[in-house]
Amino acid sequence: QVQLVESGGGLVQPGGSLRLSCAAPRLIFVISHMGWYRQAPGKERESVGGVTSGGSTNYADSVKGRFTISRDNAKSTVYLQMNSLKPEDTAVYYCNSYNRAAGYDYWGQGTQVTVSS
C-alpha cells in the first residue's frame, strides 16, 4: 500500500498563509502527476490544481494568483503554498498521485485547513 504523507494544515486568519506538504515514495513520485484537492463540509471534492512530472502546473480559477504548487523531486515532496486565504478556502485538503499509463491513483489522508477570525 502506497502512502502519501501530508502535513501543514491548521487554523489561520483570513488573509494569512499556510503551506501544505505531501511526501510520496520516490519511485512513484518522479513519474507521477501530483495534485491537490479539497472538500468542504457538505460539498463534493474539487481539484485545487496539480503539477506534472515535468513541472507544469495548473490551478482552479478560484485559487489562481493566491495558491502555488511546486515539487521537489530530490525530496519526493509536493507543496501547496496558500496565500491570501479566505474563509471559503476552509476544507480538508488531499494530496493525490497518479500515473494513467502505470495504472495507479493514490490519495493522502487529508489535512484540515480552517480559515477563520
Side-chain angles (χ1 to χ4, degrees):
Q1 180 71 19
V2 172
Q3 189 172 14
L4 305 182
V5 180
E6 301 171 16
S7 60
L11 173 65
V12 63
Q13 291 187 344
S17 298
L18 278 177
R19 188 177 80 157
L20 306 183
S21 301
C22 172
R26 179 168 180 78
L27 285 180
I28 69 162
F29 182 86
V30 294
I31 62 170
S32 293
H33 176 282
M34 300 298 297
W36 287 97
Y37 291 74
R38 66 186 182 185
Q39 187 166 18
K43 295 187 177 181
E44 294 186 355
R45 189 174 297 188
E46 63 176 3
S47 173
V48 174
V51 57
T52 68
S53 57
S56 297
T57 55
N58 66 280
Y59 300 94
D61 287 344
S62 59
V63 306
K64 278 180 182 177
R66 300 188 298 122
F67 291 11
T68 302
I69 297 172
S70 60
R71 63 189 295 157
D72 186 335
N73 287 339
K75 296 182 178 179
S76 301
T77 300
V78 63
Y79 302 98
L80 177 64
Q81 177 67 45
M82 303 183 291
N83 299 327
S84 302
L85 282 160
K86 306 174 181 180
E88 52 263 43
D89 294 318
T90 295
V92 177
Y93 283 71
Y94 297 90
C95 174
N96 172 263
S97 172
Y98 87 86
N99 182 307
R100 185 175 295 138
Y104 63 77
D105 185 7
Y106 301 122
W107 292 89
Q109 79 282 3
T111 186
Q112 177 69 47
V113 171
T114 302
V115 185
S116 176
S117 56

